[in-house]
Amino acid sequence: MYRRLCLCLHTQLTKVDYRCCMPCGVVDLHGITLDLYNRKGPAYSFYKDLQTAYYKDERQLSLPERYDSELSNHGFINVASHQYRIPLKSEYSTHLQKRFLKTWLDGLEALALDLMTKHLGWTRERTLLECALAREELHNGTDGFLTM
């Protein structure tokens, strides 16, 4: 089912064919972006480099911000977008938000390792070090939000 939904969405967004989408269907897209206000910390620098690597791979980390307009532009109607903002400072987060943030932080290497070595020429060690520095800042709390 998920594979068919992805095929349907890909088909819709590339304007090739509409036959796999049914009336009153639902498309559920999920993405995460970081909104960091401390522009001098390692997390901000890491995220900017990550965005550069994604861009060079012809992908975007900011795509979730445009899901509703992109879907509307490709013929979907009654598009509803729901964004959840998790504060990066733990004193403002609920227990569930803290757990989600920790899980996301545990996956930084999965987001970065391949793309930063391939497109930015970073070594594996440098990428792991930058991930660790960014994770430490985000884990200790910084001004900003994880938006999904």
Side-chain angles (χ1 to χ4, degrees), residues 28-134:
D28 186 12
L29 299 173
H30 177 261
I32 294 176
T33 59
L34 271 178
D35 302 314
L36 297 167
Y37 303 134
N38 177 9
R39 299 190 186 278
K40 296 180 182 174
Y44 182 80
S45 175
F46 170 79
Y47 196 66
K48 282 296 180 192
D49 290 333
L50 186 62
Q51 286 177 318
T52 301
Y54 266 74
Y55 179 76
K56 287 183 177 185
D57 200 54
E58 299 180 1
R59 295 191 280 167
Q60 298 176 7
L61 285 173
S62 62
L63 191 59
E65 298 167 359
R66 299 196 322 250
Y67 281 159
D68 52 346
S69 63
E70 285 297 315
L71 289 170
S72 295
N73 289 342
H74 289 90
F76 288 88
I77 59 171
N78 299 324
V79 175
S81 177
H82 303 283
Q83 290 189 359
Y84 303 96
R85 293 171 56 90
I86 299 174
L88 296 174
K89 288 201 172 187
S90 61
E91 61 262 26
Y92 305 118
S93 301
T94 67
H95 178 69
L96 181 61
Q97 289 173 334
K98 290 176 192 175
R99 288 179 57 199
F100 183 86
L101 183 59
K102 182 189 178 316
T103 301
W104 186 80
L105 289 173
D106 287 344
L108 283 181
E109 291 84 2
L111 283 174
L113 197 55
D114 182 53
L115 292 177
M116 289 181 149
T117 56
K118 180 178 175 183
H119 295 295
L120 301 183
W122 289 14
T123 63
R124 181 180 188 276
E125 292 75 18
R126 178 180 178 191
T127 305
L128 294 175
L129 176 63
E130 296 292 334
C131 286
L133 292 171

